[in-house]
Amino acid sequence: MEFQITAYLHLISKHLYSKLQEYEADKLASEALAECFDIVIDHQVQIFQFMQVETKDADGFWDQHPSWADRIENIKKKAP
């Protein structure tokens, strides 16, 4: 089991994205949520806030991912 976890972590660590790329992915996902599912920015922020609480994420993921707080602020910037 330990080998499987180590192998998995090694595999995904080779596919890291920069924070800038993560923000761009958030932007595209936000646009898709709004266009395809009619999920407004305020509701998207609520979803991110839920994820922040559930994952107990304060600092981001492996330093390449923005924290949920940063992602929330980035999404709020899109609000009219």
Side-chain angles (χ1 to χ4, degrees):
M1 177 71 150
E2 183 177 332
F3 172 75
Q4 290 173 332
I5 293 171
T6 303
Y8 176 72
L9 290 175
H10 178 71
L11 177 64
I12 63 173
S13 70
K14 291 180 178 265
H15 301 286
L16 299 177
Y17 298 97
S18 71
K19 286 187 180 187
L20 185 60
Q21 289 170 309
E22 290 292 329
Y23 284 130
E24 182 62 21
D26 287 348
K27 177 183 173 232
L28 294 173
S30 176
E31 290 170 359
L33 287 170
E35 187 175 325
C36 299
F37 300 105
D38 203 27
I39 299 176
V40 296
I41 298 291
D42 289 340
H43 192 192
Q44 292 177 34
V45 168
Q46 290 175 349
I47 293 168
F48 275 40
Q49 289 169 333
F50 174 80
M51 294 299 294
Q52 182 179 26
V53 170
E54 290 299 310
T55 62
K56 298 174 180 61
D57 174 55
D59 298 322
F61 183 71
W62 287 342
D63 295 328
Q64 279 79 18
H65 289 67
S67 68
W68 283 110
D70 291 341
R71 287 176 184 251
I72 290 166
E73 286 305 310
N74 191 48
I75 293 296
K76 283 182 177 178
K77 288 178 187 176
K78 291 185 51 168

